[in-house]
Amino acid sequence: MLPNASASSTGGAQLYIACAQLNVTGGTGTINTSGKLVSFPGAYKATDPGILFQLYWPIPTSYINPGPSVVTC
């Protein structure tokens, strides 16, 4: 979880540990993770898009999710 209330200053975004349980169905049974895996700590920098951005003014019209692209099967 990434609360963004203070994301307009470097080091302001707060990362909280969260868990999810996924039920994956269908697909090919194989996965291509080439260039899409990250390690913690180190997966994000305080200046990455989506971690550091102006939340209040000017009002954002888009948002870039931090991290690698979504993995598909």
Side-chain angles (χ1 to χ4, degrees):
M1 182 169 36
L2 178 63
N4 290 321
S6 299
S8 60
S9 61
T10 302
Q14 301 172 16
L15 298 170
Y16 293 101
I17 296 172
C19 297
Q21 294 183 3
L22 304 175
N23 181 20
V24 179
T25 61
T28 63
T30 61
I31 189 167
N32 178 1
T33 59
S34 177
K36 298 178 182 179
L37 297 179
V38 297
S39 297
F40 290 97
Y44 307 110
K45 296 185 304 281
T47 55
D48 284 351
I51 303 283
L52 176 65
F53 70 99
Q54 292 298 326
L55 177 62
Y56 299 109
W57 191 259
I59 298 171
T61 58
S62 63
Y63 177 78
I64 298 172
N65 285 310
S69 60
V70 176
V71 174
T72 56
C73 295

